């Protein structure tokens, strides 16, 4: 596709429920990232995939959070037993290869995010 | 611990009134400093990457500069369409490219 696509754009759920958020990266991008952004704050790193494997999941806040990317393209962020503190915008980003070479920009391309509200 | 602090938190400008945003950082080893623009309800949009002290990048009315401890985003003769939140981020990890540490952002409003 033309850009990073995230669904749903909005999700309202009740405390204790299970939630899945989907990210479709730019075609051909091997690196995929999940960030979380709370109101008035900058994005906070959660997890980074290079291909199918999670290269760095050090930002996942606890074991209720899990992400997969089984075929190296689409990724799903899964949140179990949601809590009110999980309410935030979950941003997905992708890049062509990760580490830039030759003075490249190394930019991440972000989607518009999935806004999660836990009541 | 790596830290990124942006100031001011908010900035209100008249159209044509130039100003600068500050991003100060404390990292063990800077591998890149990034500026992004974020419009309400949208994801961050890339503006610049700076790699070393003394480097400058320009795009239209925006110019980013980098020293060993901070970066500035200069907005020259802003227009209302420059209204957005400007985010600064650093890449410190040598292993996980894209594992950025973001600041909280500066919200800029430009009035006609």
């Amino acid at each position: 596709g033309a850009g990073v696509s995230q669904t749903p754009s909005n999700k309202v759920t009740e405390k204790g429920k299970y939630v899945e958020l989907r990210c479709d990266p730019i075609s051909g991008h091997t690196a995929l990232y999940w960030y979380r952004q709370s109101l008035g704050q900058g994005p906070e790193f959660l997890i980074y995939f290079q291909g199918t494997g999670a290269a760095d999941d050090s930002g996942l806040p606890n074991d209720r959070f899990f992400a997969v990317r089984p075929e190296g393209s689409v990724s799903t962020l899964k949140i179990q037993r949601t809590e009110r503190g999980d309410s935030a915008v979950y941003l997905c980003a992708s890049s062509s290869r990760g580490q830039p070479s030759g003075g490249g920009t190394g930019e991440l391309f972000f989607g518009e995010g999935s806004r999660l509200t836990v009541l | 611990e790596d830290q990124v602090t942006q100031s001011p938190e908010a900035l209100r400008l008249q159209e044509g009134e130039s100003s600068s945003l500050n991003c100060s950082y404390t990292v063990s080893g800077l591998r890149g400093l990034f500026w992004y623009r974020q419009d309400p309800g949208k994801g961050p949009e890339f503006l610049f990457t700076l790699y070393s002290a003394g480097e400058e990048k320009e795009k239209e009315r925006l110019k980013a500069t980098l020293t060993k401890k901070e970066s500035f985003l200069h907005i020259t003769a802003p227009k209302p369409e420059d209204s957005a939140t400007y985010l600064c981020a650093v890449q410190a990890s040598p292993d996980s490219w894209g594992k950025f540490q973001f600041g909280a952002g500066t919200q800029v409003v430009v009035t006609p």
Side-chain angles (χ1 to χ4, degrees):
Chain A
V4 176
S5 175
Q6 293 188 245
T7 53
S9 55
N10 265 292
K11 176 72 176 179
V12 180
T13 191
E14 294 180 343
K15 181 174 177 295
K17 299 289 188 182
Y18 170 80
V19 165
E20 287 191 354
L21 306 176
R22 174 189 166 108
C23 173
D24 201 341
I26 292 172
S27 178
H29 279 190
T30 58
L32 184 146
Y33 309 83
W34 284 99
Y35 279 80
R36 176 168 73 172
Q37 187 172 26
S38 300
L39 192 64
Q41 300 299 314
E44 173 192 8
F45 172 82
L46 295 177
I47 187 169
Y48 155 51
F49 287 90
Q50 186 61 257
T52 60
D56 188 332
D57 65 357
S58 61
L60 294 178
N62 52 58
D63 60 9
R64 296 187 297 105
F65 288 75
F66 190 70
V68 295
R69 195 186 185 198
E71 297 178 359
S73 177
V74 171
S75 176
T76 305
L77 179 66
K78 307 180 181 194
I79 311 174
Q80 298 178 319
R81 304 183 304 279
T82 52
E83 298 177 358
R84 292 194 181 88
D86 298 335
S87 296
V89 175
Y90 289 81
L91 294 164
C92 178
S94 68
S95 72
S96 59
R97 64 169 69 86
Q99 177 77 40
S101 60
T105 65
E107 68 183 278
L108 303 188
F109 295 84
F110 282 87
E112 295 197 345
S114 292
R115 180 177 298 277
L116 175 66
T117 303
V118 182
L119 301 177
Chain B
E1 185 180 315
D2 299 339
Q3 205 162 5
V4 179
T5 304
Q6 291 190 246
S7 61
E9 290 183 8
L11 190 59
R12 192 172 184 89
L13 301 171
Q14 290 274 356
E15 184 171 2
E17 178 189 0
S18 301
S19 188
S20 295
L21 316 182
N22 178 264
C23 170
S24 63
Y25 60 91
T26 307
V27 297
S28 54
L30 183 71
R31 285 163 177 80
L33 184 139
F34 305 83
W35 283 98
Y36 281 80
R37 169 194 171 124
Q38 187 172 28
D39 293 303
K42 306 288 187 182
E45 179 186 344
F46 173 78
L47 292 173
F48 304 109
T49 308
L50 301 165
Y51 287 107
S52 55
E55 193 174 355
E56 299 183 351
K57 295 276 178 70
E58 276 188 79
K59 180 180 178 179
E60 297 181 355
R61 295 175 294 281
L62 301 177
K63 179 179 177 180
T65 62
L66 181 65
T67 72
K68 288 185 178 178
K69 292 186 177 181
E70 58 192 349
S71 177
F72 292 93
L73 184 66
H74 308 278
I75 311 178
T76 302
K79 298 183 177 182
E81 52 262 43
D82 295 322
S83 298
T85 295
Y86 291 86
L87 295 164
C88 168
V90 298
Q91 169 77 38
S93 168
D95 303 314
S96 299
W97 183 267
K99 183 180 178 180
F100 293 167
Q101 175 99 16
F102 278 89
T106 294
Q107 185 177 29
V108 175
V109 174
V110 183
T111 57

